[in-house]
Amino acid sequence: MDNFQLFNPVNVIFGKNTIGELPNLLKDKSNILFAFGGGSIKKNGVYQQIRSALANKNIIEFSGIEANPDYDTLIKAVELCKNESVDFILAVGGGSVIDGCKFIAHAAKFKGKNAWDILCGKEVKDALPLGCVLTLSATGSEMNTFSVISKRSTKEKRAFSSTLSFPKFSILDPTFSLSLPERQIINGIIDPYVHVTEQYLTYNVNAPLQTRQSEAILLTLIEEGPKALKNLENYEMRANLMWCATNALNGTIGKGVPQDWATHEIGHELTAQFGLDHAQTLAVILPAVLKHEFENKKKRLAHYGTKVFAIKGDSDSKIAKQAIEKTEKFFRSLGAKTRLSEYKITKKSLKAIPEQVMKVTGGKKLGEHGNIGAKEIGKILDLAFEK
Amino acid sequence: MDNFQLFNPVNVIFGKNTIGELPNLLKDKSNILFAFGGGSIKKNGVYQQIRSALANKNIIEFSGIEANPDYDTLIKAVELCKNESVDFILAVGGGSVIDGCKFIAHAAKFKGKNAWDILCGKEVKDALPLGCVLTLSATGSEMNTFSVISKRSTKEKRAFSSTLSFPKFSILDPTFSLSLPERQIINGIIDPYVHVTEQYLTYNVNAPLQTRQSEAILLTLIEEGPKALKNLENYEMRANLMWCATNALNGTIGKGVPQDWATHEIGHELTAQFGLDHAQTLAVILPAVLKHEFENKKKRLAHYGTKVFAIKGDSDSKIAKQAIEKTEKFFRSLGAKTRLSEYKITKKSLKAIPEQVMKVTGGKKLGEHGNIGAKEIGKILDLAFEK
């Protein structure tokens, strides 16, 4: 295995009624930005619980953080933080709210002129502290340093990572996810699934523990996902999905192993251009990436087919091919679309995507071998479009 | 699954030549207690590398921390910390040195009269910061809060846990473990194996991810352990064992699930009374605990047999029985003894053990059901003695 560093100081508090820990966790804070998305937390009671837990604090509310959080929305919260002397940001929601708050936390302390520079590689040396109350599990943002921000005005979507983004705490009460619409539960299965494959379906570097830790998550998602969709009120199943999502991107499984992320980088552009949900882009792009990179990933795909789908046989090629088919079939069984042609997207409208991806990466090719450039992305999009 | 908290801020730096990070990690420290065991780090070059990396620091050396670190040894280091204004403790060695340094770190700031009270439940509110350079992987102490200390003068062995015990960093270079004697490699397979079973062989609470994460470690130890013993110079195999050991007791697999620890608590007394290596006691006691608790653990043992040893069949009892046999067989295949009668220990000399264990726990019965008292420990010792 390769050398690595593992550092993840997030204080995760998981389970029923854990929101009761909030007053203790925030006892030293005075002016708290309470940031959330739409009105769903008012319907499921989370809003009221938080207001009551923090009754003796100065709470500055900021609502309206949308899915794929928008720069122009977030920048308003940045102003609020500065004007109201905010000393802590409480992100209440899913990955979009948390990602948005990581950006707000940095932008509030940013000394430069244009906070978008944070998304373009500008290092930030200070940030407001933040904590999370997770209501929708998918992205793993509650236990990592990553943040992905969109700019609708220019149709851009970019990511940044900073150790200052680690939430001080994350409260994960699966109860809060019980009221989610089905589409978000499906997204919450596919997103962590692909987080795992990005760190697992590459090439072997003799790291059998990380390999098995990855398979542990995939097998659990395959087992619990469909059950959770059939039992929308079941706490246990949703708890298992939530814990899978956190573990899929808290760093552990990717330590010391090669990583891919081509599916994500192409997917981000599809969200930026067409507004697809993040997980919807992954369900479409992953099978196409696996097909395009078949020879490079064949051995690993065969291992995956054997261990995750229990495919028998002695031909790596055949098992690998079936493994891709089974992956797509699993996504479809959840109700996800796996081809671009199923969306209202024309082939012509995809033409600009490859160059746009390359612009975001600064020309750096994608994939664990760094072999996927604009031409290859075009081919992957063709495969993803195929009916 | 049950509610839980996961917080583990240890900065793990894993791989070849990672000792080079030391100057950066200690840049704000002045007076460093460099604590180690015997002379092995002088033979394998680790000592020289550390002295050279910290050439511009005031280094206070403290050597002689023995296996199962002794209170009377450690208390000398505590005096040194106070007299030399030590502001950081660097533990260089295996679990014994790290456990010992966790105690030194607390005792150096302890306000009470008798530092042994720390081992008897007295809360400590301050401790010196410490970091580790791991040379022997087994206990997982490099990434947790636990410390087990012996007092040879009274034949006691006790544990304590404190969040202040988290190492600020742990440097894990598997190269340093290549010069270990075979016995310590065997211990380094069995110790993490039993750390996993203590958190896994209990009863099912519907936590399939944690279950699979546990199996990931067991399967990897079974796969890599024997290979590593046959290829004593192989870095990769030893790296896999080292990473298994850390993951076995860094908290992750035990989150939200019941835990046992009866094997450890009985084992500690065997070390205290007879001087057996910690892992040697575990190899002897685990099979006996599993036999004694057969009915309570049967379903879980059957699951273990199916997933870890691929035992086929439809009788839980039969699979569970075979799983215990396979566990013992695995330990023996490594060269470990699995019966007390194989050591120079008489049955008579075991008589005081049950009451001694109960004294340490303050009368609290052992096991995930809290059903193992002095009488049951006696029976477990009989089973462990059987020829």
Side-chain angles (χ1 to χ4, degrees), chain A residues 11 13 17-30 32 49-50 52-57 88 90 168-169 171, chain B residues 5:
Chain A
N11 182 9
I13 298 156
N17 302 319
T18 43
I19 211 166
E21 296 294 321
L22 264 186
N24 188 36
L25 292 163
L26 292 172
K27 64 172 183 278
D28 303 329
K29 304 299 170 188
S30 309
I32 298 167
Q49 286 184 52
I50 288 175
S52 130
L54 302 178
N56 62 347
K57 301 282 180 186
F88 197 87
L90 184 65
K168 299 297 170 200
F169 62 81
I171 291 178
Chain B
Q5 182 187 13

PDB file of all heavy atoms in Angstrom, chain A residues 11 13 17-30 32 49-50 52-57 88 90 168-169 171, chain B residues 5:
ATOM      1  N   ASN A  11     -16.206  15.117  15.696  1.00  0.00           N
ATOM      2  CA  ASN A  11     -16.897  14.480  16.813  1.00  0.00           C
ATOM      3  C   ASN A  11     -18.286  14.059  16.319  1.00  0.00           C
ATOM      4  O   ASN A  11     -19.176  14.897  16.187  1.00  0.00           O
ATOM      5  CB  ASN A  11     -16.986  15.486  17.963  1.00  0.00           C
ATOM      6  CG  ASN A  11     -17.634  14.907  19.199  1.00  0.00           C
ATOM      7  OD1 ASN A  11     -17.884  13.700  19.278  1.00  0.00           O
ATOM      8  ND2 ASN A  11     -17.917  15.763  20.173  1.00  0.00           N
ATOM      9  N   ILE A  13     -21.818  12.273  16.645  1.00  0.00           N
ATOM     10  CA  ILE A  13     -22.769  11.849  17.681  1.00  0.00           C
ATOM     11  C   ILE A  13     -23.958  11.266  16.944  1.00  0.00           C
ATOM     12  O   ILE A  13     -24.677  11.971  16.240  1.00  0.00           O
ATOM     13  CB  ILE A  13     -23.138  13.048  18.567  1.00  0.00           C
ATOM     14  CG1 ILE A  13     -21.871  13.549  19.258  1.00  0.00           C
ATOM     15  CG2 ILE A  13     -24.197  12.654  19.599  1.00  0.00           C
ATOM     16  CD1 ILE A  13     -21.918  14.974  19.669  1.00  0.00           C
ATOM     17  N   ASN A  17     -32.445  11.054  19.275  1.00  0.00           N
ATOM     18  CA  ASN A  17     -32.507  12.135  20.278  1.00  0.00           C
ATOM     19  C   ASN A  17     -31.144  12.754  20.592  1.00  0.00           C
ATOM     20  O   ASN A  17     -30.973  13.347  21.655  1.00  0.00           O
ATOM     21  CB  ASN A  17     -33.130  11.619  21.587  1.00  0.00           C
ATOM     22  CG  ASN A  17     -34.522  11.057  21.344  1.00  0.00           C
ATOM     23  OD1 ASN A  17     -35.288  11.641  20.583  1.00  0.00           O
ATOM     24  ND2 ASN A  17     -34.832   9.930  21.944  1.00  0.00           N
ATOM     25  N   THR A  18     -30.206  12.615  19.687  1.00  0.00           N
ATOM     26  CA  THR A  18     -28.867  13.158  19.956  1.00  0.00           C
ATOM     27  C   THR A  18     -28.819  14.679  19.818  1.00  0.00           C
ATOM     28  O   THR A  18     -27.834  15.300  20.228  1.00  0.00           O
ATOM     29  CB  THR A  18     -27.830  12.507  19.025  1.00  0.00           C
ATOM     30  OG1 THR A  18     -28.381  12.434  17.706  1.00  0.00           O
ATOM     31  CG2 THR A  18     -27.495  11.109  19.490  1.00  0.00           C
ATOM     32  N   ILE A  19     -29.870  15.257  19.259  1.00  0.00           N
ATOM     33  CA  ILE A  19     -29.911  16.710  19.140  1.00  0.00           C
ATOM     34  C   ILE A  19     -29.871  17.362  20.527  1.00  0.00           C
ATOM     35  O   ILE A  19     -29.468  18.519  20.669  1.00  0.00           O
ATOM     36  CB  ILE A  19     -31.160  17.148  18.333  1.00  0.00           C
ATOM     37  CG1 ILE A  19     -30.871  18.425  17.567  1.00  0.00           C
ATOM     38  CG2 ILE A  19     -32.392  17.273  19.202  1.00  0.00           C
ATOM     39  CD1 ILE A  19     -31.904  18.730  16.494  1.00  0.00           C
ATOM     40  N   GLY A  20     -30.213  16.596  21.536  1.00  0.00           N
ATOM     41  CA  GLY A  20     -30.162  17.078  22.917  1.00  0.00           C
ATOM     42  C   GLY A  20     -28.755  17.454  23.367  1.00  0.00           C
ATOM     43  O   GLY A  20     -28.571  18.132  24.382  1.00  0.00           O
ATOM     44  N   GLU A  21     -27.751  17.023  22.602  1.00  0.00           N
ATOM     45  CA  GLU A  21     -26.357  17.362  22.937  1.00  0.00           C
ATOM     46  C   GLU A  21     -25.988  18.795  22.542  1.00  0.00           C
ATOM     47  O   GLU A  21     -24.942  19.304  22.946  1.00  0.00           O
ATOM     48  CB  GLU A  21     -25.386  16.404  22.223  1.00  0.00           C
ATOM     49  CG  GLU A  21     -25.501  14.953  22.648  1.00  0.00           C
ATOM     50  CD  GLU A  21     -25.092  14.746  24.095  1.00  0.00           C
ATOM     51  OE1 GLU A  21     -24.132  15.390  24.529  1.00  0.00           O
ATOM     52  OE2 GLU A  21     -25.782  13.964  24.783  1.00  0.00           O
ATOM     53  N   LEU A  22     -26.830  19.405  21.692  1.00  0.00           N
ATOM     54  CA  LEU A  22     -26.476  20.726  21.142  1.00  0.00           C
ATOM     55  C   LEU A  22     -26.093  21.786  22.184  1.00  0.00           C
ATOM     56  O   LEU A  22     -25.047  22.436  22.033  1.00  0.00           O
ATOM     57  CB  LEU A  22     -27.616  21.264  20.273  1.00  0.00           C
ATOM     58  CG  LEU A  22     -27.532  21.030  18.765  1.00  0.00           C
ATOM     59  CD1 LEU A  22     -28.682  21.757  18.082  1.00  0.00           C
ATOM     60  CD2 LEU A  22     -26.204  21.500  18.182  1.00  0.00           C
ATOM     61  N   PRO A  23     -26.900  21.980  23.218  1.00  0.00           N
ATOM     62  CA  PRO A  23     -26.538  23.042  24.172  1.00  0.00           C
ATOM     63  C   PRO A  23     -25.138  22.834  24.756  1.00  0.00           C
ATOM     64  O   PRO A  23     -24.359  23.784  24.882  1.00  0.00           O
ATOM     65  CB  PRO A  23     -27.611  22.923  25.259  1.00  0.00           C
ATOM     66  CG  PRO A  23     -28.765  22.258  24.584  1.00  0.00           C
ATOM     67  CD  PRO A  23     -28.169  21.329  23.559  1.00  0.00           C
ATOM     68  N   ASN A  24     -24.807  21.608  25.057  1.00  0.00           N
ATOM     69  CA  ASN A  24     -23.488  21.314  25.605  1.00  0.00           C
ATOM     70  C   ASN A  24     -22.388  21.573  24.576  1.00  0.00           C
ATOM     71  O   ASN A  24     -21.347  22.164  24.876  1.00  0.00           O
ATOM     72  CB  ASN A  24     -23.458  19.849  26.076  1.00  0.00           C
ATOM     73  CG  ASN A  24     -22.186  19.544  26.831  1.00  0.00           C
ATOM     74  OD1 ASN A  24     -21.687  20.393  27.560  1.00  0.00           O
ATOM     75  ND2 ASN A  24     -21.657  18.345  26.627  1.00  0.00           N
ATOM     76  N   LEU A  25     -22.625  21.154  23.338  1.00  0.00           N
ATOM     77  CA  LEU A  25     -21.625  21.318  22.277  1.00  0.00           C
ATOM     78  C   LEU A  25     -21.374  22.790  21.953  1.00  0.00           C
ATOM     79  O   LEU A  25     -20.299  23.149  21.480  1.00  0.00           O
ATOM     80  CB  LEU A  25     -22.078  20.575  21.010  1.00  0.00           C
ATOM     81  CG  LEU A  25     -22.099  19.050  21.110  1.00  0.00           C
ATOM     82  CD1 LEU A  25     -22.942  18.442  19.982  1.00  0.00           C
ATOM     83  CD2 LEU A  25     -20.686  18.482  21.075  1.00  0.00           C
ATOM     84  N   LEU A  26     -22.390  23.616  22.163  1.00  0.00           N
ATOM     85  CA  LEU A  26     -22.278  25.031  21.783  1.00  0.00           C
ATOM     86  C   LEU A  26     -22.204  25.958  22.991  1.00  0.00           C
ATOM     87  O   LEU A  26     -22.419  27.163  22.866  1.00  0.00           O
ATOM     88  CB  LEU A  26     -23.478  25.409  20.898  1.00  0.00           C
ATOM     89  CG  LEU A  26     -23.474  24.742  19.516  1.00  0.00           C
ATOM     90  CD1 LEU A  26     -24.780  25.017  18.781  1.00  0.00           C
ATOM     91  CD2 LEU A  26     -22.297  25.232  18.683  1.00  0.00           C
ATOM     92  N   LYS A  27     -21.808  25.394  24.130  1.00  0.00           N
ATOM     93  CA  LYS A  27     -21.903  26.199  25.354  1.00  0.00           C
ATOM     94  C   LYS A  27     -20.992  27.439  25.354  1.00  0.00           C
ATOM     95  O   LYS A  27     -21.311  28.422  25.983  1.00  0.00           O
ATOM     96  CB  LYS A  27     -21.725  25.342  26.612  1.00  0.00           C
ATOM     97  CG  LYS A  27     -20.386  24.684  26.788  1.00  0.00           C
ATOM     98  CD  LYS A  27     -20.313  24.049  28.188  1.00  0.00           C
ATOM     99  CE  LYS A  27     -18.962  23.453  28.438  1.00  0.00           C
ATOM    100  NZ  LYS A  27     -18.795  22.103  27.858  1.00  0.00           N
ATOM    101  N   ASP A  28     -19.895  27.370  24.597  1.00  0.00           N
ATOM    102  CA  ASP A  28     -18.985  28.515  24.569  1.00  0.00           C
ATOM    103  C   ASP A  28     -19.279  29.494  23.435  1.00  0.00           C
ATOM    104  O   ASP A  28     -18.510  30.424  23.204  1.00  0.00           O
ATOM    105  CB  ASP A  28     -17.531  28.030  24.410  1.00  0.00           C
ATOM    106  CG  ASP A  28     -17.136  27.076  25.521  1.00  0.00           C
ATOM    107  OD1 ASP A  28     -17.666  27.240  26.628  1.00  0.00           O
ATOM    108  OD2 ASP A  28     -16.316  26.167  25.266  1.00  0.00           O
ATOM    109  N   LYS A  29     -20.338  29.258  22.683  1.00  0.00           N
ATOM    110  CA  LYS A  29     -20.607  30.097  21.509  1.00  0.00           C
ATOM    111  C   LYS A  29     -21.749  31.082  21.799  1.00  0.00           C
ATOM    112  O   LYS A  29     -22.655  30.768  22.572  1.00  0.00           O
ATOM    113  CB  LYS A  29     -20.983  29.224  20.312  1.00  0.00           C
ATOM    114  CG  LYS A  29     -19.930  28.175  19.974  1.00  0.00           C
ATOM    115  CD  LYS A  29     -18.592  28.803  19.605  1.00  0.00           C
ATOM    116  CE  LYS A  29     -17.503  27.746  19.505  1.00  0.00           C
ATOM    117  NZ  LYS A  29     -16.180  28.355  19.327  1.00  0.00           N
ATOM    118  N   SER A  30     -21.670  32.223  21.143  1.00  0.00           N
ATOM    119  CA  SER A  30     -22.683  33.252  21.413  1.00  0.00           C
ATOM    120  C   SER A  30     -23.574  33.523  20.217  1.00  0.00           C
ATOM    121  O   SER A  30     -24.794  33.405  20.294  1.00  0.00           O
ATOM    122  CB  SER A  30     -21.989  34.561  21.810  1.00  0.00           C
ATOM    123  OG  SER A  30     -21.055  34.327  22.821  1.00  0.00           O
ATOM    124  N   ILE A  32     -24.731  32.504  16.736  1.00  0.00           N
ATOM    125  CA  ILE A  32     -24.701  31.307  15.896  1.00  0.00           C
ATOM    126  C   ILE A  32     -25.503  31.498  14.616  1.00  0.00           C
ATOM    127  O   ILE A  32     -26.688  31.846  14.662  1.00  0.00           O
ATOM    128  CB  ILE A  32     -25.241  30.102  16.695  1.00  0.00           C
ATOM    129  CG1 ILE A  32     -24.328  29.841  17.908  1.00  0.00           C
ATOM    130  CG2 ILE A  32     -25.327  28.850  15.821  1.00  0.00           C
ATOM    131  CD1 ILE A  32     -24.909  28.913  18.931  1.00  0.00           C
ATOM    132  N   GLN A  49     -36.908  21.927  17.320  1.00  0.00           N
ATOM    133  CA  GLN A  49     -36.017  21.321  18.315  1.00  0.00           C
ATOM    134  C   GLN A  49     -34.745  22.132  18.490  1.00  0.00           C
ATOM    135  O   GLN A  49     -34.238  22.299  19.597  1.00  0.00           O
ATOM    136  CB  GLN A  49     -35.658  19.890  17.904  1.00  0.00           C
ATOM    137  CG  GLN A  49     -36.783  18.887  18.098  1.00  0.00           C
ATOM    138  CD  GLN A  49     -36.317  17.470  17.762  1.00  0.00           C
ATOM    139  OE1 GLN A  49     -35.308  16.995  18.254  1.00  0.00           O
ATOM    140  NE2 GLN A  49     -37.055  16.786  16.913  1.00  0.00           N
ATOM    141  N   ILE A  50     -34.218  22.623  17.375  1.00  0.00           N
ATOM    142  CA  ILE A  50     -32.964  23.385  17.439  1.00  0.00           C
ATOM    143  C   ILE A  50     -33.199  24.746  18.099  1.00  0.00           C
ATOM    144  O   ILE A  50     -32.439  25.164  18.972  1.00  0.00           O
ATOM    145  CB  ILE A  50     -32.351  23.526  16.027  1.00  0.00           C
ATOM    146  CG1 ILE A  50     -31.808  22.162  15.601  1.00  0.00           C
ATOM    147  CG2 ILE A  50     -31.246  24.589  16.013  1.00  0.00           C
ATOM    148  CD1 ILE A  50     -31.290  22.090  14.197  1.00  0.00           C
ATOM    149  N   SER A  52     -35.366  25.475  20.220  1.00  0.00           N
ATOM    150  CA  SER A  52     -35.597  25.293  21.651  1.00  0.00           C
ATOM    151  C   SER A  52     -34.296  24.908  22.371  1.00  0.00           C
ATOM    152  O   SER A  52     -34.023  25.385  23.485  1.00  0.00           O
ATOM    153  CB  SER A  52     -36.734  24.280  21.838  1.00  0.00           C
ATOM    154  OG  SER A  52     -36.385  23.286  22.737  1.00  0.00           O
ATOM    155  N   ALA A  53     -33.452  24.104  21.708  1.00  0.00           N
ATOM    156  CA  ALA A  53     -32.175  23.718  22.336  1.00  0.00           C
ATOM    157  C   ALA A  53     -31.250  24.924  22.502  1.00  0.00           C
ATOM    158  O   ALA A  53     -30.416  24.956  23.408  1.00  0.00           O
ATOM    159  CB  ALA A  53     -31.481  22.633  21.504  1.00  0.00           C
ATOM    160  N   LEU A  54     -31.409  25.916  21.620  1.00  0.00           N
ATOM    161  CA  LEU A  54     -30.503  27.069  21.648  1.00  0.00           C
ATOM    162  C   LEU A  54     -31.234  28.347  22.049  1.00  0.00           C
ATOM    163  O   LEU A  54     -30.873  29.452  21.625  1.00  0.00           O
ATOM    164  CB  LEU A  54     -29.835  27.240  20.280  1.00  0.00           C
ATOM    165  CG  LEU A  54     -29.044  26.016  19.793  1.00  0.00           C
ATOM    166  CD1 LEU A  54     -28.473  26.271  18.406  1.00  0.00           C
ATOM    167  CD2 LEU A  54     -27.918  25.668  20.763  1.00  0.00           C
ATOM    168  N   ALA A  55     -32.224  28.187  22.882  1.00  0.00           N
ATOM    169  CA  ALA A  55     -33.097  29.312  23.246  1.00  0.00           C
ATOM    170  C   ALA A  55     -32.330  30.482  23.868  1.00  0.00           C
ATOM    171  O   ALA A  55     -32.708  31.637  23.700  1.00  0.00           O
ATOM    172  CB  ALA A  55     -34.195  28.834  24.196  1.00  0.00           C
ATOM    173  N   ASN A  56     -31.225  30.169  24.554  1.00  0.00           N
ATOM    174  CA  ASN A  56     -30.503  31.264  25.229  1.00  0.00           C
ATOM    175  C   ASN A  56     -29.319  31.804  24.415  1.00  0.00           C
ATOM    176  O   ASN A  56     -28.434  32.451  24.953  1.00  0.00           O
ATOM    177  CB  ASN A  56     -30.037  30.800  26.617  1.00  0.00           C
ATOM    178  CG  ASN A  56     -29.065  29.650  26.511  1.00  0.00           C
ATOM    179  OD1 ASN A  56     -28.923  29.057  25.433  1.00  0.00           O
ATOM    180  ND2 ASN A  56     -28.364  29.338  27.596  1.00  0.00           N
ATOM    181  N   LYS A  57     -29.314  31.503  23.126  1.00  0.00           N
ATOM    182  CA  LYS A  57     -28.221  31.988  22.263  1.00  0.00           C
ATOM    183  C   LYS A  57     -28.755  33.067  21.323  1.00  0.00           C
ATOM    184  O   LYS A  57     -29.960  33.115  21.039  1.00  0.00           O
ATOM    185  CB  LYS A  57     -27.667  30.845  21.395  1.00  0.00           C
ATOM    186  CG  LYS A  57     -27.128  29.678  22.176  1.00  0.00           C
ATOM    187  CD  LYS A  57     -25.758  29.992  22.735  1.00  0.00           C
ATOM    188  CE  LYS A  57     -25.241  28.792  23.519  1.00  0.00           C
ATOM    189  NZ  LYS A  57     -23.985  29.116  24.197  1.00  0.00           N
ATOM    190  N   PHE A  88     -19.989  30.974  15.233  1.00  0.00           N
ATOM    191  CA  PHE A  88     -20.156  29.544  14.943  1.00  0.00           C
ATOM    192  C   PHE A  88     -21.252  29.383  13.899  1.00  0.00           C
ATOM    193  O   PHE A  88     -22.254  30.090  13.922  1.00  0.00           O
ATOM    194  CB  PHE A  88     -20.539  28.764  16.209  1.00  0.00           C
ATOM    195  CG  PHE A  88     -20.337  27.276  16.074  1.00  0.00           C
ATOM    196  CD1 PHE A  88     -19.105  26.700  16.354  1.00  0.00           C
ATOM    197  CD2 PHE A  88     -21.372  26.451  15.627  1.00  0.00           C
ATOM    198  CE1 PHE A  88     -18.906  25.335  16.205  1.00  0.00           C
ATOM    199  CE2 PHE A  88     -21.180  25.084  15.481  1.00  0.00           C
ATOM    200  CZ  PHE A  88     -19.941  24.524  15.773  1.00  0.00           C
ATOM    201  N   LEU A  90     -23.928  26.704  12.361  1.00  0.00           N
ATOM    202  CA  LEU A  90     -24.596  25.421  12.541  1.00  0.00           C
ATOM    203  C   LEU A  90     -25.321  25.082  11.239  1.00  0.00           C
ATOM    204  O   LEU A  90     -26.296  25.743  10.868  1.00  0.00           O
ATOM    205  CB  LEU A  90     -25.594  25.488  13.703  1.00  0.00           C
ATOM    206  CG  LEU A  90     -26.289  24.161  14.030  1.00  0.00           C
ATOM    207  CD1 LEU A  90     -25.283  23.120  14.546  1.00  0.00           C
ATOM    208  CD2 LEU A  90     -27.387  24.378  15.080  1.00  0.00           C
ATOM    209  N   LYS A 168     -16.746  20.666  13.726  1.00  0.00           N
ATOM    210  CA  LYS A 168     -16.335  20.396  15.119  1.00  0.00           C
ATOM    211  C   LYS A 168     -17.138  19.214  15.650  1.00  0.00           C
ATOM    212  O   LYS A 168     -16.652  18.437  16.463  1.00  0.00           O
ATOM    213  CB  LYS A 168     -16.574  21.620  16.009  1.00  0.00           C
ATOM    214  CG  LYS A 168     -15.797  22.852  15.589  1.00  0.00           C
ATOM    215  CD  LYS A 168     -14.303  22.632  15.689  1.00  0.00           C
ATOM    216  CE  LYS A 168     -13.550  23.784  15.026  1.00  0.00           C
ATOM    217  NZ  LYS A 168     -12.175  23.410  14.692  1.00  0.00           N
ATOM    218  N   PHE A 169     -18.398  19.144  15.229  1.00  0.00           N
ATOM    219  CA  PHE A 169     -19.230  17.996  15.592  1.00  0.00           C
ATOM    220  C   PHE A 169     -20.242  17.767  14.480  1.00  0.00           C
ATOM    221  O   PHE A 169     -20.528  18.678  13.689  1.00  0.00           O
ATOM    222  CB  PHE A 169     -19.957  18.236  16.928  1.00  0.00           C
ATOM    223  CG  PHE A 169     -20.898  19.406  16.909  1.00  0.00           C
ATOM    224  CD1 PHE A 169     -22.185  19.295  16.377  1.00  0.00           C
ATOM    225  CD2 PHE A 169     -20.498  20.640  17.420  1.00  0.00           C
ATOM    226  CE1 PHE A 169     -23.046  20.392  16.347  1.00  0.00           C
ATOM    227  CE2 PHE A 169     -21.351  21.740  17.380  1.00  0.00           C
ATOM    228  CZ  PHE A 169     -22.621  21.609  16.850  1.00  0.00           C
ATOM    229  N   ILE A 171     -24.063  15.876  14.333  1.00  0.00           N
ATOM    230  CA  ILE A 171     -25.133  15.107  14.972  1.00  0.00           C
ATOM    231  C   ILE A 171     -25.872  14.352  13.875  1.00  0.00           C
ATOM    232  O   ILE A 171     -26.393  14.952  12.933  1.00  0.00           O
ATOM    233  CB  ILE A 171     -26.078  16.052  15.738  1.00  0.00           C
ATOM    234  CG1 ILE A 171     -25.324  16.622  16.942  1.00  0.00           C
ATOM    235  CG2 ILE A 171     -27.355  15.331  16.167  1.00  0.00           C
ATOM    236  CD1 ILE A 171     -26.127  17.602  17.768  1.00  0.00           C
TER     237      ILE A 171
ATOM    238  N   GLN B   5     -20.981   7.662  20.080  1.00  0.00           N
ATOM    239  CA  GLN B   5     -20.149   8.827  19.745  1.00  0.00           C
ATOM    240  C   GLN B   5     -18.851   8.319  19.138  1.00  0.00           C
ATOM    241  O   GLN B   5     -18.260   7.356  19.644  1.00  0.00           O
ATOM    242  CB  GLN B   5     -19.847   9.637  21.016  1.00  0.00           C
ATOM    243  CG  GLN B   5     -19.010  10.891  20.727  1.00  0.00           C
ATOM    244  CD  GLN B   5     -18.550  11.617  21.981  1.00  0.00           C
ATOM    245  OE1 GLN B   5     -18.641  11.083  23.083  1.00  0.00           O
ATOM    246  NE2 GLN B   5     -18.028  12.811  21.806  1.00  0.00           N
TER     247      GLN B   5
END
